[in-house]
Amino acid sequence: MTSPALRWSDLGLSPIAFHLGPLPIRWYALAFIATFALGRWYLRRLLRVDGAPLRLEQVDDLLSCVVIGVIGGGRLGYATFYQPELWAHPLELLSLWHGGMSFHGGLIGLLVALTLFARRTRVPLLSLLDYVGCATPFGMILVRIANFINGELWGRPTTLPWGMIFPGAGDDVPRHPSQLYEAGWEGIGTMVLLSFLFWRTGLRHQPGRLAGAGLVWYAVGRFMLERVRQPDHGLEHLWWGLTMGQTLSIPILIGGIFLLVPRSGSAHREPPRTAIS
């Protein structure tokens, strides 16, 4: 005799954390706020080591660029890759409270923002990617947990004992809580990997290596987890045999490998010390 499946609705979760008067404050918004706050704190800690690519007083300027890049890229990426009909209603693109963000779009927006920041401040781009990359796993953890609290982005059907029935799926079929899988691999796993490489090895002195390791780790994990994650509506059967998430992970994997492959003139060297205030 099998035990009854877990039900998301029995957990008492709600997308709304609390109200400020008539204004609902959603967990999804809090996840982004906490992401940038924790990322700022951790980045400032990373910058206290010898050879950091920028000064502490530049962090807030950098964070402003990152916020615009991640949120703008994430929203535009979602509209482009998953909900093209949003382009017919441009004002809906600004309705962030309705949800709908793409990690891959956010990554593109982040890369654009960091490139512009590096050019304006003459900070080495690859080193900047390494340090910012080490601070990004907070978002991967918190946003995926927010997805779970919202009861969205559930997984494919499963017979495993921790399968969960999500009311939004429109059926009583137990499904993988794939949001939590992603929080584990993309968030906690990436944090552990990059923290070890940053603090216990010399890779931070080889620009681009930390970013490359993080990209490869994410791409491999996302590609595999797409096998248990339910594809977005309308993207269940792409003609080339991959899901949209798997397809978008391929260029990330290639980019990560490119950053990891040794290149001429990229031998290990200690960078010049940077004055830290």
Side-chain angles (χ1 to χ4, degrees), residues 80-264:
T80 300
F81 303 135
Y82 298 102
Q83 294 289 335
E85 59 270 19
L86 287 177
W87 290 107
H89 306 281
L91 291 180
E92 185 65 22
L93 290 173
L94 302 177
S95 302
L96 299 178
W97 53 90
H98 290 165
M101 298 282 284
S102 162
F103 171 86
H104 301 91
L107 178 60
I108 293 172
L110 175 63
L111 293 176
V112 171
L114 294 182
T115 299
L116 295 176
F117 180 87
R119 288 183 177 179
R120 178 165 59 86
T121 60
R122 297 185 179 181
V123 170
L125 177 59
L126 290 182
S127 293
L128 188 62
L129 290 175
D130 288 339
Y131 278 71
V132 172
C134 287
T136 57
F138 291 109
M140 301 180 194
I141 298 170
L142 296 174
V143 171
R144 290 308 182 197
I145 291 176
N147 291 148
F148 180 77
I149 292 174
N150 288 348
E152 62 190 5
L153 302 184
W154 49 78
R156 300 175 190 261
T158 181
T159 58
L160 292 173
W162 56 83
M164 183 169 293
I165 296 174
F166 292 90
D171 54 39
D172 280 337
V173 178
R175 296 174 176 273
H176 288 282
S178 55
Q179 314 96 322
L180 301 182
Y181 300 170
E182 291 182 280
W185 182 284
E186 300 170 5
I188 297 173
T190 304
M191 175 67 76
V192 171
L193 172 68
L194 293 183
S195 294
F196 174 80
L197 294 177
F198 185 93
W199 296 107
R200 299 297 182 183
T201 74
L203 282 189
R204 70 173 182 268
H205 300 309
Q206 301 178 46
R209 297 297 192 270
L210 291 173
L215 291 175
V216 169
W217 177 272
Y218 171 84
V220 171
R222 178 64 184 267
F223 195 94
M224 294 189 303
L225 288 173
E226 283 286 314
R227 296 177 61 86
V228 298
R229 172 174 164 168
Q230 182 68 31
D232 290 74
H233 179 68
L235 300 175
E236 297 91 343
H237 304 290
L238 299 180
W239 63 266
W240 53 88
L242 300 177
T243 68
M244 182 60 75
Q246 288 175 324
T247 301
L248 296 174
S249 294
I250 292 175
I252 293 179
L253 177 62
I254 294 172
I257 293 174
F258 174 78
L259 291 175
L260 286 174
V261 172
R263 296 176 292 281
S264 59

Side-chain angles (χ1 to χ4, degrees), residues 21-104:
L23 180 65
I25 305 300
R26 298 177 179 274
W27 286 110
Y28 199 68
L30 292 177
F32 273 94
I33 293 172
T35 291
F36 293 124
L38 290 171
R40 178 184 182 275
W41 163 77
Y42 191 57
L43 180 59
R44 289 175 64 86
R45 185 183 178 197
L46 297 176
L47 291 177
R48 295 183 185 277
V49 304
D50 292 338
L54 71 160
R55 301 183 303 277
L56 289 178
E57 60 263 28
Q58 294 177 289
V59 169
D60 288 338
D61 188 18
L62 171 63
L63 185 63
S64 298
C65 296
V66 168
V67 169
I68 295 172
V70 169
I71 294 179
R75 187 62 173 166
L76 295 178
Y78 177 76
T80 300
F81 303 135
Y82 298 102
Q83 294 289 335
E85 59 270 19
L86 287 177
W87 290 107
H89 306 281
L91 291 180
E92 185 65 22
L93 290 173
L94 302 177
S95 302
L96 299 178
W97 53 90
H98 290 165
M101 298 282 284
S102 162
F103 171 86
H104 301 91

